Amino acid sequence: MSYIVNKNDRLHVSVEDLTHDGAGVAKVEGYPLFIPGTLPGEEVEVHVTKTLKNYGFAKLLEIKKPSADRIIPPCHVFPTCGGCQIQHLSYEAQLEQKRKSVRDVIDRIAKLPHVPVHPVKGMEDPWRYRNKSQIPFSTRDGEVISGFYQSKTHKIVDTDVCIIQTEEADAIMTAVKRELHSLGIETYDERTHRGMLRHVVVRKARATGEVMVVLVTLKKKFPQKDAVVELIRRTVPGVTSIMQNINSEKTNVIFGNETLGLYGQSVIIDSIGDIQFEISARSFYQVNPVQTEVLYKQALDYAQLTGEETVIDAYCGIGTISLFLAQQAKEVYGVEIVPQAIEDAKRNAELNGISNAYFEAGAAEDVIPRWYAEGKRFDVLVVDPPRKGCDEKLLQTILRYKPKRVVYVSCNPGTLARDLRILEDGGYRTEEVQPVDMFPQSSHVESVAWLEIGL
Ligand code: SAH
């Protein structure tokens, strides 16, 4: 079989687009070539490394004409480290790129070219935003290394600094790395399933400044624990909680089931807007606190509550959106599949003196039809599903009972667009889509869509 493009060809191409994982796309007589490290608008020399039937890959040799939006990535391990994909694109251009990618699926998949997709709400300072770091430790050539996994691998890219995580996380990562050997602690080895320290997790509550450090160890018996606690407290005097989590399994999952206190409190307290949250070692919590507030405000704006409404928050996690909505609604019903998260949600409602929020553990697609069958009625439905989007059964329930307004919070524009089409076909009208940048420097984008039932 012959292709327009062959392996080992050297070509001069124009880059037109950017993929989700940050590779530039050039078309050679309609045949797409993916070229990591390039940007739309650039003219480049490339070496073709692989050709498949419908697309191929090439390596960048030389940039003939750079994009006006290209910048020098500030991080020294970019792009080897898989954490960020688009540090070489100016922040303004990142936001425009994200708007374009949402616009594209709203046009193509949702078939809603007339629906406004607003400019992405971005951050004033798009660095040091992550409130949680999960740092793997290992040993290479006798040296302790720690950092982040290279994209799609389990190979650690060793670094002392990550400029999207907190300064506290940098300090703890580096101090533990430097001192580990002298403390007599071995790092965990995935192949032999031996060695004590697996991960160090650092979480910071932005509003209160409280910091939690979790040491994930292979065994419960951890003779050097006092020395590590000492080291961490000396490194970051503001640490308020140090925990040990035991993970004895041969697994990629970071946490095991058992968590013990080593120092201070077992939770840290953060707040979003006026609502306080208790975060424990394993609680799910949004990782960008500044933008979480922007996202939730947007959802609240689109919900247009007057105090009279009964609202559902489906896929509610630890009840963050629910408690936000509860301040302005008559009642909020939250549903979430992880029972522990529902326990957290109930405790957080109590902590804030909120008595009009109810939570139930279960699958949204099972629990919501049951609520309706029991005679409950809802004015507004907020959904915030995982990447795969809403379950078909939940969409059918929405179409059957037709709550007046739906606010759809989505971390995946593709499945959002698919679900908007289904809701449109069932009689809903999409009014607006507002993307929010929760993950600067990465190619992810979050969106909020507002729908009303048509007459
Ligand atoms: N709204 C929350 C969490 C959103 S993440 C926040 O902003 O923090 C999506 C959540 O959906 C996760 O907590 C996940 O556990 C939950 N989930 C996944 N499948 C589900 C299902 N079928 N029914 C209910 N919840 C589900």
Side-chain angles (χ1 to χ4, degrees):
M1 199 189 293
S2 84
Y3 299 104
I4 305 157
V5 175
N6 292 294
K7 188 172 167 176
N8 291 329
D9 281 356
R10 190 182 167 121
L11 301 172
H12 182 115
V13 295
S14 304
V15 181
E16 294 167 28
D17 212 344
L18 198 65
T19 64
H20 188 74
D21 42 18
V25 190
K27 291 213 174 119
V28 183
E29 291 176 44
Y31 179 86
L33 265 184
F34 297 105
I35 318 156
T38 62
L39 293 173
E42 295 191 320
E43 292 198 13
V44 292
E45 285 281 321
V46 302
H47 176 100
V48 177
T49 51
K50 190 172 180 178
T51 53
L52 300 168
K53 185 151 181 270
N54 297 317
Y55 58 91
F57 298 89
K59 191 169 163 257
L60 172 65
L61 296 176
E62 197 187 336
I63 301 174
K64 293 288 184 190
K65 185 178 144 258
S67 159
D69 299 319
R70 176 178 282 278
I71 58 163
I72 295 169
C75 172
H76 70 290
V77 291
F78 177 86
T80 318
C81 161
C84 298
Q85 295 87 43
I86 50 174
Q87 272 196 18
H88 57 317
L89 189 57
S90 75
Y91 189 54
E92 212 177 306
Q94 288 183 21
L95 295 178
E96 185 46 31
Q97 182 64 36
K98 290 181 186 192
R99 193 186 68 84
K100 252 180 68 192
S101 70
V102 177
R103 176 75 270 168
D104 177 58
V105 293
I106 295 296
D107 291 353
R108 268 190 317 110
I109 302 175
K111 304 210 161 41
L112 297 169
H114 57 281
V115 170
V117 173
H118 297 297
V120 180
K121 289 190 175 172
M123 296 186 81
E124 224 164 87
D125 177 12
W127 301 103
R128 296 275 181 210
Y129 62 81
R130 278 190 76 96
N131 60 9
K132 180 170 88 169
S133 307
Q134 307 190 121
I135 305 158
F137 278 73
S138 187
T139 303
R140 189 183 295 151
D141 302 329
E143 297 285 325
V144 178
I145 56 168
S146 68
F148 300 92
Y149 290 125
Q150 195 175 327
S151 177
K152 298 183 185 102
T153 71
H154 252 232
K155 205 169 148 225
I156 294 173
V157 178
D158 187 33
T159 183
D160 288 354
V161 181
C162 167
I163 50 181
I164 62 168
Q165 74 179 8
T166 58
E167 311 250 0
E168 289 86 347
D170 274 358
I172 290 163
M173 171 166 93
T174 305
V176 172
K177 174 159 48 190
R178 299 271 183 280
E179 304 284 329
L180 213 56
H181 270 174
S182 60
L183 292 175
I185 301 170
E186 300 280 321
T187 60
Y188 176 69
D189 183 334
E190 281 180 337
R191 281 167 307 127
T192 59
H193 194 54
R194 295 172 72 161
M196 186 55 113
L197 186 69
R198 299 178 68 128
H199 276 81
V200 173
V201 178
V202 183
R203 310 187 79 156
K204 181 175 179 182
R206 182 173 177 273
T208 58
E210 293 180 352
V211 174
M212 171 185 280
V213 181
V214 189
L215 305 163
V216 183
T217 59
L218 181 66
K219 295 192 175 129
K220 187 166 181 172
K221 191 159 171 272
F222 183 24
Q224 305 91 339
K225 64 184 173 207
D226 292 343
V228 186
V229 165
E230 225 282 301
L231 170 68
I232 292 170
R233 290 186 59 201
R234 193 159 21 95
T235 306
V236 178
V239 167
T240 49
S241 163
I242 303 177
M243 310 294 290
Q244 178 189 0
N245 174 274
I246 299 131
N247 185 355
S248 315
E249 303 293 317
K250 228 178 168 162
T251 170
N252 287 342
V253 176
I254 294 177
F255 286 113
N257 288 329
E258 197 179 355
T259 307
L260 310 167
L262 298 181
Y263 165 79
Q265 312 290 317
S266 62
V267 295
I268 52 175
I269 307 271
D270 199 8
S271 54
I272 307 174
D274 301 331
I275 312 274
Q276 291 200 323
F277 297 95
E278 263 184 26
I279 306 159
S280 60
R282 297 178 60 197
S283 295
F284 174 84
Y285 191 61
Q286 295 276 355
V287 297
N288 183 336
V290 174
Q291 292 300 88
T292 299
E293 192 160 341
V294 174
L295 184 75
Y296 291 177
K297 281 220 172 93
Q298 189 62 56
L300 194 63
D301 270 5
Y302 281 157
Q304 298 162 68
L305 303 176
T306 63
E308 296 302 312
E309 296 81 4
T310 302
V311 182
I312 289 180
D313 179 16
Y315 309 90
C316 71
I318 60 165
T320 34
I321 296 181
S322 320
L323 298 183
F324 232 63
L325 295 165
Q327 295 173 302
Q328 297 188 28
K330 186 167 152 224
E331 291 177 319
V332 177
Y333 286 76
V335 55
E336 156 65 45
I337 206 158
V338 176
Q340 180 59 44
I342 287 294
E343 293 306 309
D344 287 348
K346 288 179 177 167
R347 218 185 36 257
N348 285 326
E350 228 170 275
L351 182 72
N352 289 282
I354 291 175
S355 54
N356 60 339
Y358 308 92
F359 294 100
E360 190 168 327
E365 61 273 21
D366 298 332
V367 172
I368 294 172
R370 207 190 63 236
W371 284 343
Y372 274 110
E374 287 165 3
K376 294 193 178 75
R377 288 298 175 264
F378 304 95
D379 306 293
V380 180
L381 198 142
V382 178
V383 297
D384 182 7
R387 290 191 63 76
K388 66 175 198 269
C390 286
D391 189 276
E392 176 67 28
K393 199 171 143 203
L394 174 62
L395 294 171
Q396 293 314 322
T397 305
I398 297 174
L399 293 179
R400 174 160 176 208
Y401 292 100
K402 295 195 164 59
K404 179 171 163 6
R405 187 167 297 137
V406 174
V407 177
Y408 193 136
V409 182
S410 162
C411 56
N412 181 346
T415 54
L416 169 68
R418 177 200 69 196
D419 292 350
L420 290 183
R421 176 50 28 220
I422 295 170
L423 293 171
E424 287 267 343
D425 288 341
Y428 278 89
R429 196 177 59 229
T430 309
E431 303 286 342
E432 293 179 13
V433 178
Q434 174 64 63
V436 177
D437 191 21
M438 301 292 282
F439 306 103
Q441 321 308 331
S442 88
S443 31
H444 296 282
V445 58
E446 195 96 5
S447 310
V448 191
W450 160 32
L451 298 96
E452 295 275 326
I453 189 75
L455 294 173

